[in-house]
Amino acid sequence: MFKYAKKSYGLFALATLFMTIGWVLSVIAIAACNFVSVEGVNEGGAFVGMGLYWFKSPQECVFLTLDRLGGSDNAPYWRSGEMNAARITSAISSVWACCVMCLMWMGVCCGCFHGNCMRKTTGVMSMGICALMGGIFAVFSSSSCSWGCSMAAGAYCAVFSMLSYFICGIICCCIPHSKHDNDDIAQQGPPAAPAAAAATAPAGDTVAVEKTVNADGSTVTKTTTTHPDGSKTVEEVVEAPLIAATVGDEKV
């Protein structure tokens, strides 16, 4: 489990909340039948509002297929490049936001996925999601709004959705670096020094050599040879320390 400073964790949780709010509002904006208020007569019938996929009549929301709109000459709603651009960009934005939101909630709940690098990456993605969501306002430049359109409930939801994504990105990019961001690496400690490899004799025997220096200066060399059949041969060699002696005028 990673450890994080309370301030960093709290700010990341706040950013996650804004991402969630933005995603919910984007879904409402995409599904609304009154994204814009329509002035005059639109698509062969009188409607008070229009969304990305259906219309709002004074009584209810109405879904009109191409046939019910009276053919291709009277159906710019479904074939307009601006309308389709609004549908595509908003859909990509919503799906992308949903994936990032799930990842962020995993970070909040399990204490992972919100290290310094992850926070910065999430902040950049939030800005990208915000920019894509802005494509939904291409509705206003479509031929379906040739009679005039004004912002309605769906459009306001889209505005606040973009604002939430933007705030989420700012928070993620500005969260201070925590001293615990790299605790997972520090807890592992320095890499262990590799153990000395035992020598292998040409015949397949494994030879291990152990040297011990005694208090009197002598050195004991213990050589253990392990044979392929499992038997072992142990040899011990004791080397006495050299003692300086004087013979006549010469030092030996």
Side-chain angles (χ1 to χ4, degrees):
M1 178 71 70
F2 294 106
K3 295 179 180 178
Y4 289 92
K6 290 183 178 180
K7 182 178 180 180
S8 298
Y9 181 84
L11 288 174
F12 186 81
L14 181 63
T16 303
L17 181 61
F18 274 105
M19 174 59 71
T20 304
I21 294 174
W23 177 73
V24 172
L25 290 175
S26 72
V27 172
I28 295 175
I30 293 171
C33 63
N34 58 337
F35 183 83
V36 294
S37 296
V38 179
E39 302 171 4
V41 179
N42 188 19
E43 304 299 336
F47 301 103
V48 296
M50 177 181 70
L52 295 183
Y53 300 96
W54 49 354
F55 294 90
K56 175 146 182 88
S57 68
Q59 293 81 25
E60 59 182 353
C61 291
V62 180
F63 181 81
L64 298 181
T65 63
L66 191 63
D67 294 335
R68 291 183 63 185
L69 288 170
S72 58
D73 292 338
N74 195 29
Y77 177 76
W78 287 114
R79 300 197 173 186
S80 169
E82 291 82 0
M83 288 295 298
N84 287 328
R87 295 180 182 113
I88 293 171
T89 55
S90 60
I92 294 175
S93 173
S94 182
V95 172
W96 191 5
C98 182
C99 295
V100 174
M101 177 188 67
C102 292
L103 191 64
M104 293 178 73
W105 275 114
M106 288 177 63
V108 171
C109 296
C110 73
C112 54
F113 296 136
H114 53 82
N116 187 53
C117 180
M118 184 62 189
R119 293 195 298 262
K120 297 297 186 289
T121 303
T122 303
V124 173
M125 289 193 294
S126 298
M127 296 300 182
I129 293 170
C130 176
L132 271 176
M133 190 62 193
I136 196 171
F137 292 100
V139 171
F140 287 93
S141 61
S142 68
S143 56
S144 297
C145 278
S146 56
W147 291 91
C149 293
S150 58
M151 292 182 63
Y156 286 114
C157 285
V159 170
F160 285 109
S161 173
M162 292 176 62
L163 182 61
S164 297
Y165 291 146
F166 183 77
I167 295 175
C168 173
I170 292 296
I171 293 175
C172 287
C173 291
C174 295
I175 293 177
H177 183 75
S178 169
K179 65 179 181 179
H180 298 296
D181 281 342
N182 297 319
D183 272 2
D184 57 316
I185 299 176
Q187 289 173 1
Q188 295 174 2
T200 303
D205 297 342
T206 302
V207 179
V209 180
E210 180 182 357
K211 286 188 177 183
T212 305
V213 180
N214 298 322
D216 59 358
S218 61
T219 302
V220 179
T221 303
K222 182 179 179 180
T223 304
T224 304
T225 304
T226 304
H227 305 288
D229 59 356
S231 61
K232 296 182 178 181
T233 302
V234 180
E235 296 179 336
E236 263 188 23
V237 178
V238 180
E239 297 177 5
L242 295 177
I243 300 176
T246 303
V247 180
D249 294 333
E250 297 182 1
K251 183 178 287 187
V252 180

